């Protein structure tokens, strides 16, 4: 197969490439604010396959392609042949002859890998059960913009060892920071993903110990898409893992709080933390737009 680059996890790009995408994301943000044209992907088409719900991912990719002079199309399995059992491999072969890039949000991570294997064009992971790399581009951009380089800093992940946690583990490797993970027993991140990060990521059971002195505190919903039936059990297990003002007070004095959203106030995060006047979660959400525009440029324009 060709040397088509994909973005299925943060490990698909080098640390230097990731940093250059983040720099470009901030530049694209400035250009958009200044009303300066930046149609670098004129005529390019992005296909977006969503097997799960989305607000931010869908809107940021669609608006982003349009701002870059291209276009995006939303494909739901409900009204494509994917939903009627056409193999992923065949869909990849066909779509990639018609469009310039494909973004997929799905359940099994294996789906995006199989798609990418049979695609002639770049494939972007818009969230799987295992990873959410696009969110990390936005989170890292947000940290860089508010606090400078994250290298050597400490990040506390409080909550589920889920797809976001896995992407934070990969980010710790690629951006060179320390990750402390506070999660209940039975909700740990994948052991292999954790082990591959070596000393950069470790499980620190207690939220207070994990957050102590941290420069960034991150959480996510306790009930990810596809886990709706486990809701009650999860809410009980995660009750001691809520990010509160008291918990944030143990972090570094200028610590940031991030959440990929959607957030459930009163569950994984106290409303007062999320809605604090200096909360950066809205910048973080906005940066999905800029970071993914930079990613699209990288993959499509080189
Ligand atoms: N954070 C995130 O991916 O949001 P959506 O589910 O709304 O796309
Ligand atoms: N962990 C969450 C993230 C949502 C953006 C989920 O997978 O549902």
């Amino acid at each position: 197969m060709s040397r088509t680059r994909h973005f299925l996890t943060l490990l698909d790009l080098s640390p230097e490439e990731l940093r250059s995408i983040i720099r470009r994301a901030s530049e694209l943000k400035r250009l958009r604010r200044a009303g300066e044209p930046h149609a670098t992907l004129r005529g390019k088409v992005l296909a977006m396959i969503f097997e799960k719900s989305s607000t931010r991912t869908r809107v940021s990719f669609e608006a982003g392609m349009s701002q870059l002079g291209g276009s995006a199309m939303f494909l739901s399995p409900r009204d494509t042949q994917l939903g009627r059992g056409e193999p992923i491999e065949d869909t990849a072969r066909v779509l990639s002859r018609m469009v310039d890039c494909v973004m997929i949000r799905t359940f099994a991570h294996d789906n995006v890998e199989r798609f990418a294997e049979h695609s002639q064009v770049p494939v972007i992971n818009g969230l799987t059960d295992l990873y959410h790399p696009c969110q990390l581009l936005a989170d890292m951009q947000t940290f860089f913009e508010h606090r400078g380089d994250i290298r050597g800093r400490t990040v506390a992940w409080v909550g589920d060892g889920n797809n976001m946690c896995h992407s934070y583990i990969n980010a710790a490797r690629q951006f060179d920071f320390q990750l402390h993970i506070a999660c209940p027993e039975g909700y740990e991140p994948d052991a292999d993903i954790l082990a591959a990060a070596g000393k950069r990521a470790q499980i620190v059971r207690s939220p207070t110990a994990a957050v102590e002195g941290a420069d960034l505190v991150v959480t996510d919903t306790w009930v990810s898409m596809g886990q709706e039936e486990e809701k009650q059990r999860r809410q009980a297990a995660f009750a001691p893992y809520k990010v509160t003002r008291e918990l944030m007070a143990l972090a570094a004095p200028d610590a940031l709080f991030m959440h990929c959203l959607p957030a459930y106030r009163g569950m994984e995060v106290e409303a007062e933390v999320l809605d604090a006047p200096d909360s950066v979660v809205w910048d973080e959400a906005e940066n999905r737009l800029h970071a993914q525009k930079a990613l699209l440029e990288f993959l499509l324009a080189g």
Side-chain angles (χ1 to χ4, degrees):
M1 209 68 195
S2 64
R3 296 206 338 109
T4 306
R5 301 287 300 271
H6 303 294
F7 187 60
L8 307 188
T9 81
L10 289 171
L11 305 181
D12 286 334
L13 303 188
S14 70
E16 294 69 32
E17 287 169 336
L18 290 169
R19 281 168 181 267
S20 86
I21 285 173
I22 281 163
R23 277 195 300 276
R24 177 64 178 159
S26 293
E27 168 73 3
L28 286 168
K29 185 176 189 170
R30 194 190 62 71
L31 291 174
R32 177 167 151 72
R33 292 205 170 153
E36 289 180 35
H38 49 278
T40 52
L41 296 182
R42 215 180 288 278
K44 302 279 189 193
V45 179
L46 169 73
M48 310 187 293
I49 300 172
F50 281 96
E51 295 198 298
K52 291 174 172 173
S53 305
S54 169
T55 297
R56 279 145 289 269
T57 305
R58 178 177 177 179
V59 174
S60 54
F61 270 113
E62 197 160 330
M65 277 307 286
S66 156
Q67 290 162 16
L68 292 170
S71 60
M73 77 179 68
F74 173 80
L75 300 169
S76 135
R78 221 196 310 257
D79 18 66
T80 60
Q81 301 290 3
L82 259 179
R84 297 181 64 251
E86 182 166 18
I88 287 179
E89 291 80 358
D90 293 358
T91 309
R93 289 186 182 105
V94 173
L95 283 191
S96 72
R97 285 170 178 241
M98 299 178 180
V99 302
D100 303 284
C101 187
V102 180
M103 188 242 78
I104 310 176
R105 169 168 286 197
T106 185
F107 292 86
H109 187 71
D110 171 61
N111 289 342
V112 293
E113 291 179 337
R114 280 160 53 213
F115 197 106
E117 253 171 60
H118 295 86
S119 171
Q120 300 174 20
V121 300
V123 176
I124 297 172
N125 176 2
L127 182 146
T128 62
D129 289 345
L130 210 55
Y131 293 110
H132 194 6
C134 289
Q135 183 67 49
L136 263 290
L137 294 180
D139 287 21
M140 292 299 102
Q141 183 191 345
T142 308
F143 191 92
F144 277 66
E145 287 178 348
H146 284 274
R147 295 288 183 268
D149 204 325
I150 198 161
R151 176 173 280 135
R153 305 293 198 107
T154 301
V155 178
W157 174 269
V158 182
D160 195 9
N162 64 9
N163 46 8
M164 275 298 299
C165 180
H166 292 152
S167 282
Y168 260 93
I169 294 171
N170 282 349
R173 295 171 62 178
Q174 298 292 68
F175 289 93
D176 196 14
F177 59 79
Q178 287 299 317
L179 182 66
H180 295 165
I181 301 163
C183 60
E185 301 247 4
Y187 296 95
E188 293 83 5
D190 177 89
D192 293 335
I193 295 172
L194 181 65
K199 291 202 173 89
R200 290 217 181 79
Q202 63 188 96
I203 293 179
V204 178
R205 283 278 166 216
S206 128
T208 51
V211 162
E212 202 178 332
D215 302 292
L216 169 63
V217 178
V218 196
T219 191
D220 184 14
T221 180
W222 296 336
V223 187
S224 285
M225 289 180 275
Q227 299 172 334
E228 290 75 10
E229 277 162 25
E230 301 171 30
K231 189 170 169 179
Q232 281 201 325
R233 186 158 57 84
R234 286 179 159 269
Q235 287 181 349
F238 285 102
Y241 291 80
K242 190 193 303 282
V243 178
T244 59
R245 281 163 297 175
E246 292 72 34
L247 191 67
M248 285 303 295
L250 302 173
D254 65 345
L256 296 177
F257 168 77
M258 290 192 204
H259 190 310
C260 66
L261 305 177
Y264 298 86
R265 289 172 176 78
M267 303 301 285
E268 73 273 9
V269 60
E270 211 177 49
E272 288 79 0
V273 172
L274 192 78
D275 299 321
D278 58 352
S279 173
V280 300
V281 296
W282 317 114
D283 290 346
E284 179 190 3
E286 179 190 327
N287 282 340
R288 293 292 304 277
L289 173 71
H290 311 298
Q292 287 158 203
K293 282 165 76 176
L295 173 68
L296 288 163
E297 278 191 352
F298 173 85
L299 292 173
L300 296 182

